[in-house]
Amino acid sequence: MKLLTHNLLSSHVRGVGPRGFPLRLQATEVRISPVEFNPDFVARMIPKVEWAALLEAADTLHLVEVPKGPIEGYEHDEKFLRQMHHVLLEVDVLEGTLQCPESGRLFPISRGIPNMLLSDEETET
Amino acid sequence: MLKKLKSAERLFLLIKKQFPLNVSSVSKGKIFNEMQRLVNDDPESWMSAISIWKNLLELDAKKDKLSQRDANPLKRKIEENDITNPKKLKTEQMQELQESRQCQLEKQMEEETVEQGDFLTNREKSQEAFQNDVVKAVDTPDQKDLTFRVSCRCSGAIAKTFTGQEVGRVIGIALMKQYGWKADLRNPNLEIFIHLNDIYSVVGIPVFRVPLASRAYIKTAGLRSTIAWAMASLAEIKAGAFVLDPMCGLGTILLEAAKEWPDVYYVGADVSDSQLLGACDNLKAAGLQDKIELLKVSVIELPLPSESVDTIISDIPFGKKFKLGKDIKNILQEMERVLHVGGTIVLLLSEDHHKHLQDCEQSGIPLNSKGSHTDEPGIEKCLNHGEKTDLSDTVSSSSEAISQGGLDKMPPFGSLVPMECYQVSLGRTDAFIYKYRKSHSLGLLQPGSSRPRAAAQQGRRLSWDPDRAPESQGNRLP
């Protein structure tokens, strides 16, 4: 699971609503692998990023050189884009958990795939 | 280049197409004669088809030797062995690219209309492509050493009297007599394909040994790859979009989409471990594991904020294997929730789902009860909406008849406005491709119905527009 994905996931446990984001990340196995750098793609992802959540996750994973937010003219700033590329796309959490901040419910991540299936009682009506 | 045709199942070199053989009151012997005439009557068409086929084979062999050259027999005049001229290659490649795009669009449209299998569409395409080609009559190639095999498919009235094998045998014998070829059922050089039915009699040569629909980059296919590609095309995938397949199975749709539109963020979800494992395998085999993310989630409970997805493409599972008893309504509701306003949904539905949706609709809002006319202003608005991209243009303008007729089969769903509906053949069964666009925001009707990521940031999320220049969203920091 890449951090770009983590940035989008929110908890859907019953009654949690907006407080179900962001999911707290815990990782026991992380893989960093090179991904082809596509500046155009990264630039398009920047507006979608929820920065607080990203910084929190990056911190948990002890990543360095993480930009604190979008900078002026980021679309043409290769250094910035490369750093974002690394954080969003090259860090893969293979094993770990995601925790709903409100309900405390834990969702496991296994083989890089988060399992967010809820039992019947937990789903919203 | 021909291999890049994405919505064609198979491609054939046409030798003959004519009216169906008359089976009604004629003796079997007479019909056999008719079939033999297919072979003997017109040696010229046979010769030219075979020489084109030979040239294709040679070009193919040469292509393998030259690294990185894209030999395209369609555009190139075959007698000019100009393969080594790089400048010419480039301009021709540009033309081909446009041409093949055109072909793709046309094929796709034809693919999506009700037809007797995919064979018909491909036959027409190859007919255009190859009959326009100038081919020098090949000076008596040595044909005596050609081995061949005849594959025959019969359906309709003729199938009641003959089996495919009988016909194959008759044609095979005729060919041996006429050209002196040898039959080889296991590994022939040349395969002759015959299709006889109530609409036409066609003879052709398959251009590739393996059908185009079988993709080199897909290890295990789920949905037929041609339909998957067609659905992805309809979905108007833009660069930088977030595309979701909430019931991805083995990931066929996402694979086809990611191959064609790479600058996009793809996510696939499924509830089944085995499917997800298969999808994972497929992604790795195709080298697309960095482009597509997988989640184990349920489509009726997506852990995504409202209005966070740009495009949804999905093959709704058919039939009795689909156990969970999920109502298609619930599925559509959740999809609608996570979709951006202006986003598109493209679904593949079985006839049952299609009927079910219609039933739900009829018992509810009487929007479609008068038929298509009441919907017309809505429809036109939608079609205009879709005309932004070239693809929609071609599709909507030339298949308006279909969409308008099909649209009254398509109930609107909440804020999802029906755009297009196509009936397609999956081989044994038929299915429907539905395309919806979300016309307005659901808003905060009930506490659970909309799930913004955080109250303060909701406004920003809703107004995000992929086409707007990023500069205008300068004040993003929390």
Side-chain angles (χ1 to χ4, degrees):
Chain A
M1 183 200 68
K2 297 183 199 285
L3 289 186
L4 179 56
T5 306
H6 166 262
N7 204 250
L8 266 161
L9 293 174
S10 75
S11 169
H12 46 315
V13 173
R14 181 185 300 199
V16 163
R19 299 176 303 274
F21 179 88
L23 293 166
R24 269 189 218 115
L25 175 65
Q26 276 290 312
T28 50
E29 192 184 328
V30 177
R31 179 183 60 201
I32 306 211
S33 49
V35 171
E36 197 185 317
F37 175 56
N38 182 339
D40 201 43
F41 177 71
V42 180
R44 286 176 194 277
M45 292 295 115
I46 302 293
K48 301 193 209 225
V49 169
E50 295 285 343
W51 288 92
L54 181 67
L55 293 174
E56 196 184 308
D59 202 47
T60 321
L61 298 181
H62 309 296
L63 297 178
V64 294
E65 289 199 3
V66 181
K68 302 281 179 251
I71 58 181
E72 196 64 37
Y74 68 81
E75 310 91 328
H76 308 295
D77 187 333
E78 190 176 319
K79 182 168 171 224
F80 173 84
L81 290 176
R82 277 193 184 270
Q83 286 173 335
M84 290 308 293
H85 168 82
H86 179 75
V87 173
L88 291 172
L89 303 174
E90 289 186 332
V91 181
D92 207 346
V93 178
L94 295 176
E95 302 286 330
T97 57
L98 294 167
Q99 183 175 41
C100 171
E102 176 66 14
S103 67
R105 166 62 151 105
L106 285 169
F107 299 102
I109 305 173
S110 166
R111 304 169 77 131
I113 301 178
N115 177 351
M116 298 188 71
L117 287 177
L118 295 173
S119 63
D120 286 333
E121 305 91 58
E122 287 174 301
T123 52
E124 296 176 302
T125 37
Chain B
M1 199 73 191
L2 282 175
K3 292 196 176 162
K4 294 195 183 166
L5 292 169
K6 288 291 175 101
S7 62
E9 286 270 338
R10 310 185 69 169
L11 197 57
F12 297 89
L13 274 174
L14 183 69
I15 300 178
K16 257 191 172 315
K17 177 198 175 189
Q18 59 188 45
F19 290 111
L21 297 181
N22 184 358
V23 198
S24 45
S25 52
V26 189
S27 75
K28 242 182 157 179
K30 285 215 170 119
I31 300 175
F32 277 136
N33 281 335
E34 282 276 325
M35 293 181 192
Q36 283 164 346
R37 287 179 60 199
L38 277 175
V39 174
N40 300 331
D41 262 6
D42 190 4
E44 253 185 48
S45 337
W46 281 87
M47 286 292 97
S48 70
I50 293 187
S51 60
I52 297 176
W53 171 79
K54 281 202 163 201
N55 284 318
L56 279 178
L57 279 189
E58 280 168 14
L59 274 170
D60 221 21
K62 277 193 185 132
K63 182 175 61 148
D64 288 336
K65 288 182 199 155
L66 302 168
S67 56
Q68 290 178 349
R69 306 268 197 165
D70 212 359
N72 183 354
L74 272 183
K75 271 296 180 182
R76 188 190 311 282
K77 302 217 188 255
I78 291 177
E79 62 259 31
E80 301 171 38
N81 275 325
D82 239 350
I83 303 172
T84 49
N85 187 339
K87 230 192 221 174
K88 191 158 193 204
L89 249 180
K90 212 168 182 216
T91 45
E92 281 178 331
Q93 272 173 4
M94 296 302 282
Q95 285 169 342
E96 280 146 26
L97 211 46
Q98 287 159 14
E99 247 252 321
S100 72
R101 286 222 168 267
Q102 186 61 33
C103 281
Q104 279 172 19
L105 295 175
E106 287 173 331
K107 267 199 193 299
Q108 180 197 319
M109 284 170 350
E110 289 178 291
E111 191 72 15
E112 290 161 358
T113 54
V114 179
E115 273 301 0
Q116 169 105 33
D118 309 297
F119 180 64
L120 186 57
T121 0
N122 304 320
R123 185 192 35 71
E124 285 176 7
K125 268 291 130 201
S126 57
Q127 181 175 11
E128 280 171 40
F130 289 100
Q131 285 184 352
N132 292 334
D133 225 280
V134 174
V135 177
K136 202 179 5 178
V138 181
D139 7 67
T140 52
D142 190 355
Q143 297 192 355
K144 302 265 169 168
D145 55 359
L146 256 186
T147 59
F148 77 105
R149 171 175 68 194
V150 178
S151 298
C152 178
R153 233 183 257 179
C154 294
S155 56
I158 201 167
K160 297 184 187 143
T161 327
F162 298 100
T163 62
Q165 283 164 329
E166 280 181 288
V167 180
R169 220 179 317 134
V170 171
I171 301 283
I173 294 172
L175 283 172
M176 286 199 283
K177 281 198 188 139
Q178 177 87 334
Y179 299 111
W181 300 333
K182 298 202 173 58
D184 179 348
L185 292 176
R186 285 224 196 106
N187 200 12
N189 297 128
L190 176 65
E191 187 157 2
I192 306 284
F193 198 96
I194 302 181
H195 198 170
L196 302 173
N197 60 27
D198 295 334
I199 308 172
Y200 48 71
S201 305
V202 189
V203 186
I205 305 176
V207 175
F208 299 110
R209 280 193 181 276
V210 175
L212 284 171
S214 128
R215 311 288 200 213
Y217 47 86
I218 296 188
K219 192 172 158 185
T220 318
L223 175 66
R224 199 172 268 246
S225 52
T226 48
I227 304 264
W229 186 89
M231 289 173 71
S233 302
L234 279 175
E236 299 173 28
I237 299 174
K238 302 189 179 83
F242 174 12
V243 176
L244 173 69
D245 182 349
M247 289 179 281
C248 65
L250 294 169
T252 315
I253 298 179
L254 293 171
L255 283 168
E256 288 290 326
K259 264 293 189 190
E260 189 83 30
W261 296 273
D263 292 334
V264 171
Y265 176 50
Y266 292 99
V267 175
D270 205 285
V271 296
S272 150
D273 269 329
S274 57
Q275 295 283 292
L276 283 171
L277 273 174
C280 213
D281 267 351
N282 272 342
L283 294 186
K284 290 203 184 113
L288 291 171
Q289 69 273 37
D290 290 322
K291 294 229 169 280
I292 304 175
E293 284 268 90
L294 294 175
L295 301 173
K296 186 169 173 184
V297 298
S298 164
V299 63
I300 48 176
E301 277 297 330
L302 293 169
L304 297 167
S306 301
E307 310 210 1
S308 53
V309 179
D310 295 308
T311 308
I312 295 178
I313 316 177
S314 198
D315 169 13
I316 312 272
F318 290 20
K320 291 139 198 157
K321 279 191 278 181
F322 187 32
K323 283 176 271 176
L324 293 165
K326 288 190 280 236
D327 204 5
I328 197 168
K329 264 186 100 181
N330 287 339
I331 296 176
L332 272 177
Q333 255 167 1
E334 187 69 352
M335 287 184 178
E336 188 189 2
R337 182 186 68 80
V338 299
L339 191 67
H340 259 135
V341 175
T344 48
I345 297 184
V346 177
L347 302 172
L348 187 69
L349 299 172
S350 67
E351 301 223 48
D352 286 336
H353 289 312
H354 172 69
K355 276 188 202 133
H356 187 70
L357 264 181
Q358 283 184 297
D359 292 338
C360 284
E361 180 50 36
Q362 271 155 27
S363 58
I365 311 157
L367 244 182
N368 287 336
S369 54
K370 290 186 199 154
S372 54
H373 297 291
T374 39
D375 276 335
E376 241 153 349
I379 293 172
E380 266 152 45
K381 232 192 288 168
C382 297
L383 289 176
N384 283 332
H385 230 300
E387 270 164 40
K388 278 186 202 151
T389 63
D390 289 340
L391 178 63
S392 310
D393 243 345
T394 333
V395 177
S396 48
S397 55
S398 53
S399 49
E400 238 159 73
I402 301 173
S403 3
Q404 298 244 344
L407 273 172
D408 63 347
K409 290 183 190 172
M410 255 178 104
F413 191 91
S415 66
L416 295 178
V417 179
M419 302 283 293
E420 288 151 42
C421 175
Y422 300 96
Q423 189 169 352
V424 293
S425 162
L426 296 179
R428 276 195 215 128
T429 54
D430 275 0
F432 293 83
I433 297 183
Y434 274 38
K435 177 175 168 180
Y436 286 106
R437 193 188 297 282
K438 183 164 173 179
S439 62
H440 57 269
S441 177
L442 291 171
L444 296 163
L445 297 170
Q446 305 148 27
S449 73
S450 174
R451 208 190 312 140
R453 219 192 283 220
Q457 292 163 334
Q458 181 191 359
R460 182 218 317 178
R461 265 239 89 75
L462 290 175
S463 64
W464 187 79
D465 184 340
D467 293 329
R468 246 201 280 157
E471 285 96 281
S472 60
Q473 293 160 350
N475 49 333
R476 305 200 128 265
L477 287 175

